[in-house]
Amino acid sequence: MSPLDISLADLIARLDEELPGANELARISEARLRAQTLADLGDQLIDHYVSKAKQNGASWTEIGDAIGVSKQAAQQRHTPAAFERFTNLNRHGIVLAQEAARTHKHDSIGTEHLLLGLLGEPRGLAYAVLVANAESEQRIRDAIAEALPPAGEKAPRGHIAFRPESKEAIEQARRASADLGHDWVGTEHMLLGLIRAEESPAAQILRDLGFTSDELRETVKTEVAKRLAARDKQ
């Protein structure tokens, strides 16, 4: 029995339902994209528990044994790096950004893809702030669609690199978290990072939709305080 509440039949049925008119070759391409997303999520799942194990004093030798690789391989692959303090929702948004780049056959991840990733995670605070202020999700998606580069000839394989402006946005997200005194980097901080990367396509999209960096910061600060207060009352 599978340890997950999902089966191969479920994945096949969903893909067939979503692409009713596609031929088998098109379905192969889509299946590969979804397989890559599942693999990325699997890596994040392992990273989560590796981090927990390290916090509880486990050695890299012990972690390597649990994964089934050498100490060196475990350390190289799972040492906390760029997304160490990123929440699971924010990491998922980045996975969705990568999937968006592949779907549009782009060979790098731009800030517009990161913005699409935030829209793909409705549980995140960024989604709530975006939709509340822009009045509708579709309005945001339409603005992003206009800013996206033309589709490439074929979807890229393997790792997709971040563009320089995306790296800047990620760094600005970390700074936004620190500025607000938070010990996590959530989707809300990524949203702030995007608008702070002032020369990026996503920043321009957000400004065109009526957002400003200062107002967005105050909105995030207020909404985070509300959510923390509500959690404390539970």
Side-chain angles (χ1 to χ4, degrees), residues 70-93:
S70 69
K71 167 188 172 181
Q72 291 78 10
Q75 191 168 8
Q76 288 173 3
R77 182 171 180 180
H78 298 286
T79 297
F83 307 119
E84 179 181 4
R85 293 189 300 117
F86 279 47
T87 63
N88 289 338
L89 294 183
N90 202 10
R91 292 185 185 206
H92 185 224

Side-chain angles (χ1 to χ4, degrees), residues 61-183:
T61 298
E62 292 171 323
I63 291 171
D65 289 342
I67 298 173
V69 299
S70 69
K71 167 188 172 181
Q72 291 78 10
Q75 191 168 8
Q76 288 173 3
R77 182 171 180 180
H78 298 286
T79 297
F83 307 119
E84 179 181 4
R85 293 189 300 117
F86 279 47
T87 63
N88 289 338
L89 294 183
N90 202 10
R91 292 185 185 206
H92 185 224
I94 291 172
V95 171
L96 294 176
Q98 178 178 262
E99 185 177 359
R102 278 202 178 88
T103 299
H104 290 89
K105 300 178 181 179
H106 297 152
D107 59 6
S108 59
I109 301 172
T111 57
E112 58 272 47
H113 300 116
L114 291 172
L115 192 53
L116 280 174
L118 294 180
L119 284 180
E121 186 41 89
R123 296 171 296 172
L125 178 54
Y127 178 91
V129 170
L130 281 167
V131 174
N133 287 271
E135 299 177 355
S136 77
E137 178 181 336
Q138 191 58 50
R139 183 183 175 209
I140 306 169
R141 289 190 178 277
D142 289 344
I144 296 172
E146 291 182 6
L148 283 171
E153 294 184 0
K154 60 180 181 179
R157 296 178 178 272
H159 174 71
I160 303 178
F162 290 102
R163 293 180 199 157
E165 64 267 23
S166 296
K167 293 179 181 180
E168 179 188 357
I170 290 170
E171 178 57 33
Q172 289 291 349
R174 293 194 198 95
R175 293 181 184 178
S177 171
D179 290 346
L180 291 169
H182 299 157
D183 59 2

